[in-house]
Amino acid sequence: MAEGVLLGTGREADVFALDDGRVLRRYRHGGDVTREASIMRYVGECGLPVPRVDRAEGAELVMERIEGPTMLGAFLAGQLDVPAGAAILADLHGRLRGLPPRPGARPESRVVHLDLHPDNVMLGPAGPVLIDWRNARDDEPDLDVAVSALIMAEVAVNNLFGLGELGARFLAAFLARVPGDPVRLLDTAVAMRRVNPTLSTDEVGRLDEAASLVRHHWRSTTP
Ligand SMILES: Nc1ncnc2c1ncn2[C@@H]1O[C@H](COP(=O)(O)OP(=O)(O)OP(=O)(O)O)[C@@H](O)[C@H]1O
Ligand SMILES: [Mg+2]
């Protein structure tokens, strides 16, 4: 498909603006977007704020363009403070947890995003919108919360984007608000991150330290 201006480039995909208020997201190394597109459509129909999906074929997803920065961009620009950002992320987890399971999924399962962090939330004109559903599946909500907490702890221990100190404060604020138990499935989250090809060797080497930071802050927020 003919692409427009490059809007964003993540670790796995390029996102191009199309000329009609939509974007094309294309995986650089191929792949199949139909599974994530069907999850996006389901959660969108349930009322979760996600981009409307217009076409999903092969490695290409055409969806509604969201105007606005990501939460990470807003943090870096000094436009978002820690309590407000943590509340947005915790609220998205709460809303996901509250959705009914997908038809055919185990009744106790829920849709989980498994990459719910500030660079995958866009601050659009109508509010926060959750993007990048590549890892989404039907699973336990506590796993989703553990992965989010671990990613924030990784930012803290690796000083990613120069946000080490802010990452730690963000993690604590998130843990104080998020529903569920972020440490029950933390070992599973660590095992998943360990084999995630987007992490550098250094980042993999600090995963245990990141998990300890989650446990530390979780203990200090629970009575
Ligand atoms: N619907 C959208 N509307 C406008 N911009 C978007 C949209 N979806 C994605 N983007 C832009 O493209 C960037 C990358 O998108 P996305 O997170 O989906 O790709 P990715 O390659 O999986 O990223 P990463 O691997 O870094 O998590 C986003 O940060 C955002 O700037
Ligand atoms: Mg992303």
Side-chain angles (χ1 to χ4, degrees):
M1 165 162 213
E3 59 210 37
V5 179
L6 185 65
L7 260 192
T9 175
R11 298 197 200 191
E12 296 166 318
D14 297 315
V15 179
F16 302 92
L18 302 178
D19 53 13
D20 53 0
R22 300 187 299 169
V23 299
L24 164 65
R25 180 175 187 273
R26 180 193 288 144
Y27 287 119
R28 276 190 291 281
H29 310 294
D32 179 11
V33 297
T34 50
R35 202 187 49 86
E36 66 186 270
S38 77
I39 294 180
M40 288 175 77
R41 286 185 171 124
Y42 174 74
V43 296
E45 280 160 16
C46 292
L48 200 81
V50 292
R52 183 195 69 247
V53 174
D54 288 342
R55 195 171 69 79
E57 225 176 282
E60 296 190 347
L61 189 65
V62 175
M63 63 184 144
E64 173 190 5
R65 177 174 180 175
I66 308 300
E67 303 279 354
T70 66
M71 269 177 63
L72 175 63
F75 274 131
L76 292 171
Q79 294 163 345
L80 185 66
D81 64 26
V82 165
I88 290 171
L89 228 59
D91 178 62
L92 286 169
H93 272 289
R95 291 173 72 171
L96 257 175
R97 185 180 280 265
L99 299 187
R102 284 201 298 162
R106 283 183 299 116
E108 65 278 19
S109 76
R110 295 291 180 273
V111 172
V112 294
H113 182 279
L114 297 181
D115 205 15
L116 210 173
H117 59 70
D119 205 29
N120 282 335
V121 178
M122 297 193 67
L123 300 177
V129 179
L130 187 50
I131 62 168
D132 197 356
W133 288 79
R134 173 167 216 170
N135 296 344
R137 65 187 194 208
D138 306 297
D139 210 313
E140 296 195 51
D142 278 352
L143 181 61
D144 215 4
V145 170
V147 169
S148 279
L150 187 60
I151 292 171
M152 285 176 252
E154 288 171 34
V155 171
V157 301
N158 294 295
N159 194 26
L160 300 178
F161 315 102
L163 293 177
E165 190 267 336
L166 188 133
R169 280 196 290 126
F170 191 88
L171 171 63
F174 172 74
L175 291 175
R177 290 167 174 79
V178 77
D181 183 341
V183 303
R184 185 173 68 84
L185 297 172
L186 190 57
D187 290 342
T188 310
V190 170
M192 287 166 56
R193 297 289 291 167
R194 211 178 284 291
V195 296
N196 186 319
T198 66
L199 266 71
S200 71
T201 313
D202 271 4
E203 287 166 7
V204 169
R206 295 204 186 93
L207 274 171
D208 289 336
E209 194 188 331
S212 298
L213 193 67
V214 174
R215 289 198 169 87
H216 167 80
H217 282 297
W218 174 241
R219 268 199 305 275
S220 57
T221 59
T222 43

